[in-house]
Amino acid sequence: MAKNIQSLERAAAMLRLLAGGERRLGLSDIASSLGLAKGTAHGILRTLQAEGFVEQDAASGRYQLGAELLRLGNSYLDVHELRARALVWTDDLARSSGESVHLGVLHQRGVLIVHHVFRPDDSRQVLEVGAMQPLHSTALGKVLSAYDPVAHSEVLEVEREAFTPRTTTELGDFESLLDMTRARGWAADVEETWEGVASVAAPIHDRRRMPVGAVAVTGAVERLCPDGELRPELVAAVRDCARAVSRDLGAGRF
């Protein structure tokens, strides 16, 4: 029978300790609780911190669980379940809006498109399932960055490239955009990623009320913003769709 790897066992015990005890624990508390030398405990904590599983409070020096565990917890919700729950609602949204609809999730410091409903006309379109979109400039990415702590930390680490003159790249301005997104419950991208293209997105939550994805309507600027502003009925329709999918995932009313 293969032996267990001691360092992994200790790391697992450390995570359980942080999950079950006080919100934050000091190095001495952790080491004594697990019967480890301080140097050994510190080495494990440093590795967990580098991987995002543990965070250290700058003021007190105490440790707590990190945002990366949120990503792992969210992955418990199968992307296929998210897509299955969203099928009817995204079809309805495409039909009512007359535009393309995308369902996206956080993946590798970007937005992975897991479902795409074509614009309901006879135009030639390309299926974008599996495509990646940037976090900082797209409506889907802004929503995820605003509501998901892991996405938020990742968007601050990536290079915020200026795809068009409208792209927001400066950190302070970008954080203000995320504050506005949280305040109104949706995000927009008006020619910030692609010239001539606009989109509006809203977050989807699961039964724990954790953000697990986002849904967006995407189309030509002249159709989505005929008077220079996003059509309010489109914003309302996207938010209604996101709420409906969230309810089907057990989130209740938002």
Side-chain angles (χ1 to χ4, degrees):
M1 184 175 179
K3 292 183 178 179
N4 292 339
I5 300 175
Q6 188 181 58
S7 58
L8 293 180
E9 288 182 329
R10 288 173 171 174
M14 202 169 283
L15 293 175
R16 291 192 188 97
L17 177 66
L18 290 170
E22 299 176 12
R23 179 171 172 78
R24 295 189 179 98
L25 293 173
L27 174 60
S28 297
D29 298 325
I30 294 170
S32 61
S33 295
L34 299 179
L36 299 174
K38 281 188 179 180
T40 301
H42 185 251
I44 296 172
L45 284 166
R46 194 168 58 238
T47 301
L48 291 172
Q49 185 177 0
E51 295 298 324
F53 296 127
V54 164
E55 295 173 356
Q56 187 177 29
D57 180 66
S60 66
R62 290 174 173 266
Y63 294 90
Q64 64 184 23
L65 294 179
E68 183 66 16
L69 288 173
L70 174 63
R71 182 211 294 273
L72 296 182
N74 283 347
S75 69
Y76 184 78
L77 173 72
D78 196 320
V79 166
H80 296 297
E81 181 187 353
L82 173 61
R83 181 178 177 276
R85 298 288 186 178
L87 284 177
V88 172
W89 300 111
T90 51
D91 282 349
D92 286 348
L93 179 58
R95 187 164 46 251
S96 65
S97 67
E99 301 293 346
S100 298
V101 175
H102 296 96
L103 187 68
V105 299
L106 178 65
H107 181 67
Q108 294 182 352
R109 299 189 176 185
V111 183
L112 174 67
I113 304 302
V114 297
H115 184 52
H116 175 196
V117 184
F118 282 163
R119 186 171 62 253
D121 59 19
D122 296 328
S123 62
R124 185 188 181 100
Q125 299 173 62
V126 177
L127 184 67
E128 294 187 26
V129 172
M132 292 290 293
Q133 294 186 1
L135 282 172
H136 71 285
S137 62
T138 61
L140 288 170
K142 290 178 199 173
V143 163
L144 292 174
S145 298
Y147 286 90
D148 185 336
V150 177
H152 182 250
S153 64
E154 290 190 348
V155 76
L156 301 183
E157 296 172 358
V158 299
E159 179 183 356
R160 291 179 295 280
E161 180 181 351
F163 298 110
T164 77
R166 292 174 174 262
T167 309
T168 300
T169 58
E170 199 277 323
L171 180 57
D173 293 339
F174 183 72
E175 290 282 23
S176 295
L177 278 178
L178 298 188
D179 288 341
M180 183 169 62
T181 297
R182 285 185 284 267
R184 64 189 184 182
W186 56 275
D189 166 11
V190 181
E191 296 189 287
E192 295 175 51
T193 310
W194 302 282
E195 296 280 0
V197 178
S199 63
V200 55
I204 295 171
H205 298 80
D206 67 4
R207 61 184 61 86
R208 297 163 298 160
R209 299 206 167 193
M210 301 301 294
V212 292
V215 62
V217 159
T218 302
V221 171
E222 58 266 25
R223 294 196 302 269
L224 270 63
C225 310
D227 300 316
E229 299 289 337
L230 281 163
R231 289 160 45 201
E233 69 272 19
L234 276 182
V235 175
V238 171
R239 297 191 71 190
D240 286 346
C241 177
R243 290 191 190 104
V245 178
S246 297
R247 284 196 300 271
D248 279 2
L249 291 170
R253 293 184 63 83
F254 266 81

Short mmCIF file of all heavy atoms in Angstrom, two decimals, residues 62-112:
data_model
loop_
_atom_site.label_atom_id
_atom_site.label_comp_id
_atom_site.label_asym_id
_atom_site.label_seq_id
_atom_site.Cartn_x
_atom_site.Cartn_y
_atom_site.Cartn_z
N ARG A 62 -1.51 37.42 10.73
CA ARG A 62 -2.26 36.18 10.88
C ARG A 62 -2.70 35.64 9.52
O ARG A 62 -2.79 36.39 8.53
CB ARG A 62 -3.48 36.39 11.79
CG ARG A 62 -3.09 36.62 13.25
CD ARG A 62 -4.31 36.96 14.10
NE ARG A 62 -3.95 37.00 15.51
CZ ARG A 62 -4.08 35.98 16.35
NH1 ARG A 62 -4.59 34.84 15.92
NH2 ARG A 62 -3.73 36.10 17.61
N TYR A 63 -3.02 34.35 9.49
CA TYR A 63 -3.38 33.68 8.24
C TYR A 63 -4.87 33.34 8.21
O TYR A 63 -5.49 33.08 9.24
CB TYR A 63 -2.56 32.40 8.07
CG TYR A 63 -1.08 32.65 7.89
CD1 TYR A 63 -0.23 32.71 9.00
CD2 TYR A 63 -0.53 32.83 6.63
CE1 TYR A 63 1.13 32.95 8.85
CE2 TYR A 63 0.82 33.06 6.47
CZ TYR A 63 1.65 33.12 7.58
OH TYR A 63 2.99 33.35 7.42
N GLN A 64 -5.41 33.32 6.99
CA GLN A 64 -6.79 32.92 6.77
C GLN A 64 -6.88 32.22 5.41
O GLN A 64 -5.93 32.25 4.62
CB GLN A 64 -7.72 34.13 6.78
CG GLN A 64 -7.44 35.12 5.65
CD GLN A 64 -8.32 36.35 5.75
OE1 GLN A 64 -8.82 36.69 6.81
NE2 GLN A 64 -8.52 37.02 4.62
N LEU A 65 -8.01 31.58 5.16
CA LEU A 65 -8.21 30.91 3.88
C LEU A 65 -8.19 31.92 2.75
O LEU A 65 -8.67 33.04 2.89
CB LEU A 65 -9.53 30.14 3.88
CG LEU A 65 -9.62 28.96 4.84
CD1 LEU A 65 -11.00 28.30 4.74
CD2 LEU A 65 -8.53 27.93 4.57
N GLY A 66 -7.66 31.50 1.59
CA GLY A 66 -7.52 32.39 0.44
C GLY A 66 -8.62 32.23 -0.59
O GLY A 66 -9.41 31.29 -0.57
N ALA A 67 -8.65 33.17 -1.53
CA ALA A 67 -9.71 33.22 -2.54
C ALA A 67 -9.66 32.04 -3.52
O ALA A 67 -10.67 31.69 -4.12
CB ALA A 67 -9.61 34.53 -3.32
N GLU A 68 -8.48 31.42 -3.67
CA GLU A 68 -8.39 30.29 -4.61
C GLU A 68 -9.31 29.15 -4.21
O GLU A 68 -9.80 28.41 -5.07
CB GLU A 68 -6.94 29.79 -4.67
CG GLU A 68 -6.70 28.67 -5.69
CD GLU A 68 -6.89 29.11 -7.12
OE1 GLU A 68 -6.91 30.33 -7.39
OE2 GLU A 68 -7.04 28.24 -7.99
N LEU A 69 -9.57 29.02 -2.90
CA LEU A 69 -10.49 27.96 -2.46
C LEU A 69 -11.91 28.23 -2.95
O LEU A 69 -12.69 27.30 -3.14
CB LEU A 69 -10.47 27.86 -0.93
CG LEU A 69 -9.19 27.24 -0.35
CD1 LEU A 69 -9.20 27.33 1.15
CD2 LEU A 69 -9.05 25.79 -0.79
N LEU A 70 -12.24 29.51 -3.15
CA LEU A 70 -13.56 29.83 -3.70
C LEU A 70 -13.69 29.28 -5.11
O LEU A 70 -14.71 28.73 -5.49
CB LEU A 70 -13.75 31.35 -3.71
CG LEU A 70 -15.01 31.87 -4.39
CD1 LEU A 70 -16.25 31.37 -3.64
CD2 LEU A 70 -15.01 33.38 -4.44
N ARG A 71 -12.60 29.39 -5.89
CA ARG A 71 -12.63 28.86 -7.25
C ARG A 71 -12.87 27.34 -7.23
O ARG A 71 -13.67 26.81 -7.99
CB ARG A 71 -11.33 29.16 -7.97
CG ARG A 71 -11.32 28.66 -9.42
CD ARG A 71 -9.91 28.28 -9.84
NE ARG A 71 -9.03 29.42 -9.89
CZ ARG A 71 -8.91 30.21 -10.96
NH1 ARG A 71 -9.64 30.00 -12.03
NH2 ARG A 71 -8.07 31.21 -10.96
N LEU A 72 -12.16 26.65 -6.34
CA LEU A 72 -12.32 25.20 -6.26
C LEU A 72 -13.73 24.84 -5.81
O LEU A 72 -14.32 23.88 -6.30
CB LEU A 72 -11.29 24.62 -5.29
CG LEU A 72 -9.83 24.77 -5.70
CD1 LEU A 72 -8.93 24.11 -4.67
CD2 LEU A 72 -9.58 24.18 -7.07
N GLY A 73 -14.26 25.61 -4.86
CA GLY A 73 -15.62 25.35 -4.41
C GLY A 73 -16.63 25.57 -5.52
O GLY A 73 -17.56 24.78 -5.70
N ASN A 74 -16.42 26.62 -6.30
CA ASN A 74 -17.34 26.90 -7.40
C ASN A 74 -17.27 25.84 -8.48
O ASN A 74 -18.25 25.59 -9.19
CB ASN A 74 -17.05 28.27 -8.00
CG ASN A 74 -17.58 29.40 -7.14
OD1 ASN A 74 -18.37 29.16 -6.23
ND2 ASN A 74 -17.15 30.61 -7.41
N SER A 75 -16.10 25.22 -8.65
CA SER A 75 -15.96 24.21 -9.69
C SER A 75 -16.77 22.97 -9.36
O SER A 75 -16.99 22.11 -10.22
CB SER A 75 -14.49 23.83 -9.88
OG SER A 75 -13.99 23.14 -8.75
N TYR A 76 -17.24 22.86 -8.10
CA TYR A 76 -18.10 21.75 -7.72
C TYR A 76 -19.39 21.79 -8.53
O TYR A 76 -19.99 20.78 -8.84
CB TYR A 76 -18.41 21.81 -6.22
CG TYR A 76 -19.22 20.65 -5.71
CD1 TYR A 76 -18.61 19.43 -5.47
CD2 TYR A 76 -20.58 20.78 -5.48
CE1 TYR A 76 -19.35 18.35 -5.00
CE2 TYR A 76 -21.32 19.71 -5.01
CZ TYR A 76 -20.70 18.50 -4.77
OH TYR A 76 -21.43 17.44 -4.32
N LEU A 77 -19.80 23.02 -8.86
CA LEU A 77 -20.94 23.17 -9.76
C LEU A 77 -20.46 22.89 -11.17
O LEU A 77 -19.68 23.65 -11.74
CB LEU A 77 -21.51 24.58 -9.66
CG LEU A 77 -22.60 24.91 -10.68
CD1 LEU A 77 -23.88 24.17 -10.32
CD2 LEU A 77 -22.86 26.40 -10.73
N ASP A 78 -20.89 21.80 -11.76
CA ASP A 78 -20.46 21.40 -13.09
C ASP A 78 -20.87 22.46 -14.10
O ASP A 78 -22.01 22.92 -14.11
CB ASP A 78 -21.10 20.05 -13.44
CG ASP A 78 -20.41 19.39 -14.62
OD1 ASP A 78 -20.05 20.10 -15.57
OD2 ASP A 78 -20.25 18.16 -14.58
N VAL A 79 -19.93 22.86 -14.96
CA VAL A 79 -20.24 23.82 -16.02
C VAL A 79 -21.37 23.31 -16.89
O VAL A 79 -22.20 24.09 -17.37
CB VAL A 79 -18.97 24.10 -16.86
CG1 VAL A 79 -19.34 24.83 -18.15
CG2 VAL A 79 -17.98 24.93 -16.07
N HIS A 80 -21.45 22.00 -17.06
CA HIS A 80 -22.53 21.43 -17.87
C HIS A 80 -23.88 21.65 -17.21
O HIS A 80 -24.89 21.85 -17.90
CB HIS A 80 -22.29 19.94 -18.12
CG HIS A 80 -21.05 19.66 -18.91
ND1 HIS A 80 -20.90 20.10 -20.22
CD2 HIS A 80 -19.90 19.01 -18.61
CE1 HIS A 80 -19.72 19.72 -20.67
NE2 HIS A 80 -19.10 19.06 -19.71
N GLU A 81 -23.91 21.62 -15.88
CA GLU A 81 -25.17 21.91 -15.18
C GLU A 81 -25.57 23.36 -15.39
O GLU A 81 -26.73 23.67 -15.63
CB GLU A 81 -25.06 21.61 -13.69
CG GLU A 81 -26.37 21.88 -12.94
CD GLU A 81 -26.25 21.76 -11.43
OE1 GLU A 81 -25.18 21.33 -10.95
OE2 GLU A 81 -27.23 22.10 -10.76
N LEU A 82 -24.59 24.26 -15.28
CA LEU A 82 -24.85 25.67 -15.51
C LEU A 82 -25.42 25.88 -16.91
O LEU A 82 -26.42 26.58 -17.09
CB LEU A 82 -23.56 26.47 -15.33
CG LEU A 82 -23.60 27.95 -15.70
CD1 LEU A 82 -24.61 28.69 -14.83
CD2 LEU A 82 -22.22 28.58 -15.56
N ARG A 83 -24.78 25.25 -17.89
CA ARG A 83 -25.25 25.40 -19.27
C ARG A 83 -26.65 24.81 -19.43
O ARG A 83 -27.52 25.41 -20.07
CB ARG A 83 -24.28 24.70 -20.22
CG ARG A 83 -24.65 24.80 -21.68
CD ARG A 83 -23.60 24.13 -22.56
NE ARG A 83 -23.99 24.17 -23.96
CZ ARG A 83 -24.79 23.29 -24.54
NH1 ARG A 83 -25.29 22.28 -23.83
NH2 ARG A 83 -25.10 23.39 -25.81
N ALA A 84 -26.89 23.63 -18.82
CA ALA A 84 -28.20 22.98 -18.95
C ALA A 84 -29.29 23.85 -18.35
O ALA A 84 -30.39 23.97 -18.91
CB ALA A 84 -28.16 21.61 -18.28
N ARG A 85 -29.01 24.46 -17.19
CA ARG A 85 -29.99 25.31 -16.54
C ARG A 85 -30.27 26.58 -17.35
O ARG A 85 -31.35 27.16 -17.25
CB ARG A 85 -29.51 25.71 -15.14
CG ARG A 85 -29.31 24.55 -14.20
CD ARG A 85 -30.61 23.96 -13.75
NE ARG A 85 -30.43 22.94 -12.73
CZ ARG A 85 -31.41 22.29 -12.13
NH1 ARG A 85 -32.67 22.56 -12.46
NH2 ARG A 85 -31.15 21.37 -11.22
N ALA A 86 -29.28 27.00 -18.12
CA ALA A 86 -29.39 28.27 -18.85
C ALA A 86 -29.99 28.12 -20.25
O ALA A 86 -30.35 29.14 -20.86
CB ALA A 86 -28.02 28.92 -18.96
N LEU A 87 -30.11 26.90 -20.77
CA LEU A 87 -30.50 26.70 -22.17
C LEU A 87 -31.80 27.43 -22.53
O LEU A 87 -31.84 28.20 -23.50
CB LEU A 87 -30.63 25.21 -22.47
CG LEU A 87 -29.33 24.43 -22.63
CD1 LEU A 87 -29.62 22.94 -22.84
CD2 LEU A 87 -28.51 24.98 -23.79
N VAL A 88 -32.85 27.15 -21.81
CA VAL A 88 -34.16 27.73 -22.15
C VAL A 88 -34.13 29.24 -22.01
O VAL A 88 -34.61 29.97 -22.89
CB VAL A 88 -35.26 27.14 -21.26
CG1 VAL A 88 -36.58 27.88 -21.48
CG2 VAL A 88 -35.44 25.66 -21.55
N TRP A 89 -33.53 29.72 -20.92
CA TRP A 89 -33.54 31.16 -20.66
C TRP A 89 -32.69 31.93 -21.67
O TRP A 89 -33.07 33.04 -22.08
CB TRP A 89 -33.04 31.43 -19.24
CG TRP A 89 -33.88 30.78 -18.19
CD1 TRP A 89 -33.54 29.74 -17.38
CD2 TRP A 89 -35.22 31.12 -17.84
NE1 TRP A 89 -34.58 29.40 -16.55
CE2 TRP A 89 -35.63 30.23 -16.80
CE3 TRP A 89 -36.14 32.08 -18.28
CZ2 TRP A 89 -36.90 30.29 -16.22
CZ3 TRP A 89 -37.40 32.13 -17.70
CH2 TRP A 89 -37.76 31.26 -16.68
N THR A 90 -31.54 31.38 -22.07
CA THR A 90 -30.71 32.07 -23.05
C THR A 90 -31.34 32.04 -24.44
O THR A 90 -31.22 33.00 -25.21
CB THR A 90 -29.29 31.48 -23.10
OG1 THR A 90 -29.37 30.05 -23.25
CG2 THR A 90 -28.52 31.80 -21.83
N ASP A 91 -32.03 30.95 -24.77
CA ASP A 91 -32.78 30.90 -26.04
C ASP A 91 -33.85 32.00 -26.06
O ASP A 91 -34.02 32.70 -27.07
CB ASP A 91 -33.44 29.53 -26.22
CG ASP A 91 -32.46 28.46 -26.69
OD1 ASP A 91 -31.32 28.83 -27.06
OD2 ASP A 91 -32.82 27.28 -26.66
N ASP A 92 -34.57 32.13 -24.96
CA ASP A 92 -35.61 33.16 -24.86
C ASP A 92 -35.01 34.56 -24.98
O ASP A 92 -35.59 35.44 -25.62
CB ASP A 92 -36.35 33.04 -23.53
CG ASP A 92 -37.30 31.85 -23.49
OD1 ASP A 92 -37.55 31.25 -24.57
OD2 ASP A 92 -37.77 31.50 -22.39
N LEU A 93 -33.84 34.75 -24.35
CA LEU A 93 -33.19 36.06 -24.39
C LEU A 93 -32.75 36.41 -25.81
O LEU A 93 -32.92 37.55 -26.26
CB LEU A 93 -31.98 36.07 -23.45
CG LEU A 93 -31.17 37.37 -23.37
CD1 LEU A 93 -32.05 38.54 -22.97
CD2 LEU A 93 -29.99 37.21 -22.41
N ALA A 94 -32.18 35.45 -26.53
CA ALA A 94 -31.78 35.70 -27.91
C ALA A 94 -32.99 36.03 -28.77
O ALA A 94 -32.95 36.93 -29.62
CB ALA A 94 -31.04 34.49 -28.47
N ARG A 95 -34.07 35.30 -28.55
CA ARG A 95 -35.29 35.52 -29.34
C ARG A 95 -35.90 36.89 -29.06
O ARG A 95 -36.30 37.62 -29.98
CB ARG A 95 -36.29 34.41 -29.05
CG ARG A 95 -37.53 34.42 -29.93
CD ARG A 95 -38.29 33.11 -29.87
NE ARG A 95 -38.47 32.61 -28.51
CZ ARG A 95 -37.84 31.56 -28.00
NH1 ARG A 95 -36.99 30.88 -28.75
NH2 ARG A 95 -38.07 31.17 -26.76
N SER A 96 -35.97 37.27 -27.78
CA SER A 96 -36.59 38.55 -27.43
C SER A 96 -35.72 39.76 -27.79
O SER A 96 -36.24 40.82 -28.13
CB SER A 96 -36.93 38.58 -25.93
OG SER A 96 -35.75 38.53 -25.14
N SER A 97 -34.40 39.59 -27.69
CA SER A 97 -33.49 40.70 -27.97
C SER A 97 -33.12 40.80 -29.44
O SER A 97 -32.75 41.88 -29.92
CB SER A 97 -32.22 40.56 -27.14
OG SER A 97 -31.46 39.42 -27.55
N GLY A 98 -33.19 39.66 -30.15
CA GLY A 98 -32.76 39.64 -31.54
C GLY A 98 -31.25 39.66 -31.71
O GLY A 98 -30.74 39.91 -32.79
N GLU A 99 -30.53 39.37 -30.61
CA GLU A 99 -29.07 39.42 -30.63
C GLU A 99 -28.46 38.13 -30.12
O GLU A 99 -29.16 37.26 -29.60
CB GLU A 99 -28.58 40.58 -29.75
CG GLU A 99 -29.09 41.95 -30.16
CD GLU A 99 -28.56 42.42 -31.51
OE1 GLU A 99 -27.58 41.82 -32.02
OE2 GLU A 99 -29.10 43.39 -32.05
N SER A 100 -27.14 38.00 -30.27
CA SER A 100 -26.41 36.84 -29.78
C SER A 100 -26.35 36.86 -28.26
O SER A 100 -26.30 37.94 -27.64
CB SER A 100 -24.98 36.82 -30.33
OG SER A 100 -24.97 36.72 -31.73
N VAL A 101 -26.33 35.67 -27.66
CA VAL A 101 -26.24 35.54 -26.22
C VAL A 101 -25.07 34.63 -25.88
O VAL A 101 -24.90 33.57 -26.50
CB VAL A 101 -27.55 34.97 -25.62
CG1 VAL A 101 -27.39 34.72 -24.12
CG2 VAL A 101 -28.71 35.93 -25.88
N HIS A 102 -24.25 35.06 -24.91
CA HIS A 102 -23.11 34.27 -24.47
C HIS A 102 -23.22 33.98 -22.98
O HIS A 102 -23.64 34.83 -22.20
CB HIS A 102 -21.79 35.01 -24.72
CG HIS A 102 -21.49 35.25 -26.16
ND1 HIS A 102 -21.80 36.43 -26.81
CD2 HIS A 102 -20.92 34.45 -27.09
CE1 HIS A 102 -21.42 36.35 -28.07
NE2 HIS A 102 -20.88 35.16 -28.27
N LEU A 103 -22.81 32.78 -22.61
CA LEU A 103 -22.70 32.37 -21.21
C LEU A 103 -21.23 32.15 -20.94
O LEU A 103 -20.57 31.37 -21.65
CB LEU A 103 -23.50 31.08 -20.98
CG LEU A 103 -23.65 30.57 -19.55
CD1 LEU A 103 -24.55 31.52 -18.74
CD2 LEU A 103 -24.25 29.17 -19.56
N GLY A 104 -20.68 32.83 -19.93
CA GLY A 104 -19.25 32.74 -19.66
C GLY A 104 -18.92 32.41 -18.22
O GLY A 104 -19.69 32.73 -17.31
N VAL A 105 -17.76 31.76 -18.01
CA VAL A 105 -17.27 31.44 -16.67
C VAL A 105 -15.80 31.83 -16.58
O VAL A 105 -15.11 31.96 -17.59
CB VAL A 105 -17.42 29.93 -16.35
CG1 VAL A 105 -18.89 29.52 -16.38
CG2 VAL A 105 -16.60 29.07 -17.30
N LEU A 106 -15.34 32.01 -15.36
CA LEU A 106 -13.93 32.34 -15.13
C LEU A 106 -13.07 31.13 -15.47
O LEU A 106 -13.34 30.02 -15.04
CB LEU A 106 -13.72 32.74 -13.68
CG LEU A 106 -12.29 33.07 -13.26
CD1 LEU A 106 -11.79 34.31 -13.99
CD2 LEU A 106 -12.21 33.27 -11.74
N HIS A 107 -11.99 31.36 -16.22
CA HIS A 107 -11.07 30.28 -16.57
C HIS A 107 -9.74 30.86 -17.00
O HIS A 107 -9.67 31.68 -17.92
CB HIS A 107 -11.66 29.45 -17.72
CG HIS A 107 -10.79 28.29 -18.13
ND1 HIS A 107 -10.55 27.20 -17.32
CD2 HIS A 107 -10.10 28.07 -19.28
CE1 HIS A 107 -9.77 26.34 -17.94
NE2 HIS A 107 -9.47 26.85 -19.13
N GLN A 108 -8.67 30.46 -16.30
CA GLN A 108 -7.31 30.84 -16.66
C GLN A 108 -7.16 32.33 -16.92
O GLN A 108 -6.72 32.77 -17.97
CB GLN A 108 -6.84 30.03 -17.88
CG GLN A 108 -6.70 28.55 -17.60
CD GLN A 108 -6.20 27.76 -18.80
OE1 GLN A 108 -6.08 28.28 -19.90
NE2 GLN A 108 -5.90 26.49 -18.58
N ARG A 109 -7.60 33.14 -15.95
CA ARG A 109 -7.46 34.59 -16.00
C ARG A 109 -8.18 35.21 -17.19
O ARG A 109 -7.76 36.24 -17.73
CB ARG A 109 -5.98 35.00 -16.01
CG ARG A 109 -5.23 34.55 -14.76
CD ARG A 109 -3.85 35.14 -14.69
NE ARG A 109 -3.19 34.77 -13.43
CZ ARG A 109 -2.02 35.21 -13.05
NH1 ARG A 109 -1.34 36.06 -13.83
NH2 ARG A 109 -1.49 34.84 -11.90
N GLY A 110 -9.27 34.59 -17.58
CA GLY A 110 -10.10 35.13 -18.65
C GLY A 110 -11.51 34.60 -18.52
O GLY A 110 -11.87 33.97 -17.52
N VAL A 111 -12.32 34.87 -19.52
CA VAL A 111 -13.70 34.38 -19.56
C VAL A 111 -13.81 33.30 -20.63
O VAL A 111 -13.51 33.56 -21.80
CB VAL A 111 -14.68 35.52 -19.88
CG1 VAL A 111 -16.12 35.01 -19.86
CG2 VAL A 111 -14.51 36.68 -18.92
N LEU A 112 -14.23 32.12 -20.23
CA LEU A 112 -14.43 31.02 -21.17
C LEU A 112 -15.90 30.99 -21.58
O LEU A 112 -16.79 30.93 -20.72
CB LEU A 112 -14.05 29.68 -20.52
CG LEU A 112 -14.35 28.42 -21.33
CD1 LEU A 112 -13.46 28.37 -22.58
CD2 LEU A 112 -14.14 27.17 -20.47
#
